[in-house]
Amino acid sequence: MNHYILRRLLLIIPTLLGIMTINFFIVQIAPGGPVEQAIAQYQGIDSGNSTRIASGTSSDIKQNSNTSKYRGAQGVDPEYIEALEKLYGFDKPLGERYFSMLWRYAKFDFGESFYRNQKVTDLIIDKMPVSISLGLWTTLLAYLISIPLGIKKATSHGSRFDIWSSTVVTIAYAIPAFILAIILIVLFAGGSYYDWFPLRGLTSDNFSELSVWGQIKDYFWHLTLPISASVLASFATLTMLTKNSFLDEIHKQYVVTARAKGCSKSRILYGHIFRNAMLLVLAGLPAALIGIFFTGSMLIEVIFSLDGLGLLSFESVINRDYPVIFASLYIFTLVGLVLKLISDITYTLIDPRITFEGR
């Protein structure tokens, strides 16, 4: 097992390198980079610039159009463009920027944001409490609800409980998380009916003045609606996966043999079926964690005014904030690969018959 873990850890390096390389060159050739955005903002805000462009000759504009590699740079002072290139690091060749990024990222040095005047590491750390809170509690509640519900549906397959619970699960799956979030706001956050829960932030303004118990209550008071919207939208797939996994195991020969030997239902269910059926459920845990932690919570963060990693990543892509984009991609990919390895190790803990030594 140690050799397998070592091989998987070593494979993380080329995998991470390949993902970063592909995304680096795709982003570099995408239009609307930070220099072009700065030029557009400069032309739109500086009124004196428009006068200067109007008074310039057509030959000057044509010359700038031919020599400039940026869209919208016609008539803009070349020295200003050079200053922008130096500011954003585009005065260096593409290959030098690429290898410089890899070397810095290997040391977990992600540089500074183009637009926030803050280190990328500090930005990510500032946003982590929101994303961790949403991801951790959503994933925990989804599994705590889905696994018992899926087992109950499997053991009572075809009953009334199975039918009406499947209806509820299907409806929950069909409604997007952001629609549920809006409905919860309308109903319980001062929209049209009740004003029971806050609408903004992770904590109240007087959070530091509260007692420990008061801080805990305030924390979960703010998280109730966002987590409810996320859980209702995410537990449906996991519930049906759990049910189908248990149904598949229930009809296998070893279960029939255990019944013939006189084993109790609980002994068969939790002593024999549970380990085998849970393997498929655990296989989706890393993807669920990554999706909920980093991408699935973006709309929830926007609707409930929670400033987390999902919102940060989205705004960075829109603004072409390359340091934040690549740092987020690097961290998310690394965490995802490590979680996948932890998931494989968990297989062996649940079912000792599984071994990776021969692979």
Side-chain angles (χ1 to χ4, degrees):
M1 188 65 184
N2 293 334
H3 293 156
Y4 173 77
I5 295 176
L6 179 60
R7 289 196 301 269
R8 287 292 299 273
L9 290 174
L10 292 176
L11 276 174
I12 288 177
I13 298 175
T15 304
L16 190 59
L17 179 63
I19 292 174
M20 294 300 299
T21 300
I22 293 173
N23 284 273
F24 177 83
F25 288 102
I26 290 177
V27 169
Q28 296 300 319
I29 64 177
V35 175
E36 292 181 355
Q37 292 200 7
I39 292 173
Q41 184 180 14
Y42 173 76
Q43 290 181 330
I45 294 177
D46 188 0
S47 59
N49 181 54
S50 59
T51 304
R52 179 166 52 84
I53 293 175
S55 62
T57 63
S58 59
S59 60
D60 293 336
I61 296 177
K62 183 178 180 180
Q63 183 180 2
N64 280 335
S65 176
N66 292 333
T67 59
S68 178
K69 58 184 176 182
Y70 302 107
R71 295 188 307 173
Q74 294 87 352
V76 179
D77 189 354
E79 293 182 357
Y80 177 72
I81 297 178
E82 291 178 2
L84 287 176
E85 290 180 332
K86 186 175 181 180
L87 176 64
Y88 295 123
F90 286 86
D91 57 329
K92 300 177 182 178
L94 182 63
E96 183 178 347
R97 299 202 308 268
Y98 168 70
F99 287 107
S100 175
M101 181 195 71
L102 293 182
W103 175 247
R104 288 187 290 104
Y105 281 20
K107 300 182 294 183
F108 289 91
D109 178 13
F110 303 114
E112 293 188 1
S113 169
F114 284 163
Y115 303 103
R116 298 173 184 261
N117 295 323
Q118 191 175 358
K119 288 185 176 181
V120 175
T121 305
D122 296 337
L123 272 175
I124 293 176
I125 292 175
D126 289 342
K127 313 301 181 184
M128 283 295 288
V130 171
S131 296
I132 289 178
S133 297
L134 289 176
L136 179 63
W137 295 115
T138 299
T139 305
L140 180 62
L141 287 176
Y143 271 77
L144 288 177
I145 295 172
S146 300
I147 292 176
L149 180 59
I151 294 174
K152 177 63 177 177
K153 287 174 64 62
T155 55
S156 58
H157 179 62
S159 64
R160 289 185 176 180
F161 171 80
D162 182 41
I163 295 173
W164 71 256
S165 60
S166 295
T167 304
V168 174
V169 168
T170 302
I171 294 174
Y173 178 76
I175 302 177
F178 71 92
I179 296 295
L180 288 173
I182 295 174
I183 293 174
L184 291 175
I185 289 175
V186 172
L187 293 178
F188 303 112
S192 300
Y193 295 91
Y194 304 102
D195 191 8
W196 292 349
F197 297 98
L199 189 56
R200 301 178 62 87
L202 195 61
T203 56
S204 300
D205 295 335
N206 63 337
F207 182 78
S208 59
E209 302 174 1
L210 301 175
S211 62
V212 175
W213 177 241
Q215 290 179 345
I216 294 175
K217 292 193 297 182
D218 182 75
Y219 171 73
F220 285 106
W221 182 47
H222 282 76
L223 280 177
T224 298
L225 294 187
I227 291 177
S228 298
S230 299
V231 169
L232 289 174
S234 62
F235 86 101
T237 302
L238 185 58
T239 298
M240 300 308 297
L241 178 63
T242 304
K243 175 191 174 181
N244 293 332
S245 299
F246 274 82
L247 275 179
D248 185 57
E249 295 294 327
I250 285 174
H251 297 95
K252 289 187 176 180
Q253 185 61 43
Y254 72 90
V255 177
V256 177
T257 304
R259 288 172 179 168
K261 289 182 177 180
C263 293
S264 62
K265 290 184 178 180
S266 59
R267 172 66 178 173
I268 295 173
L269 184 62
Y270 297 104
H272 298 279
I273 298 176
F274 187 82
R275 284 188 172 185
N276 297 327
M278 286 303 296
L279 290 176
L280 186 59
V281 176
L282 287 175
L285 180 59
L289 284 172
I290 293 297
I292 295 175
F293 266 66
F294 303 121
T295 57
S297 61
M298 186 194 72
L299 290 176
I300 299 297
E301 291 176 9
V302 173
I303 293 172
F304 289 100
S305 300
L306 299 173
D307 193 7
L309 288 176
L311 183 59
L312 174 66
S313 300
F314 175 75
E315 292 178 346
S316 301
V317 172
I318 297 299
N319 296 325
R320 300 298 195 271
D321 196 346
Y322 289 167
V324 179
I325 292 174
F326 292 127
S328 302
L329 177 66
Y330 182 88
I331 294 174
F332 299 170
T333 303
L334 182 60
V335 172
L337 293 171
V338 172
L339 285 176
K340 184 62 179 175
L341 175 59
I342 293 175
S343 177
D344 290 345
I345 297 173
T346 307
Y347 288 164
T348 63
L349 299 178
I350 296 177
D351 192 346
R353 296 172 300 175
I354 296 177
T355 177
F356 298 103
E357 291 297 332
R359 299 182 58 182

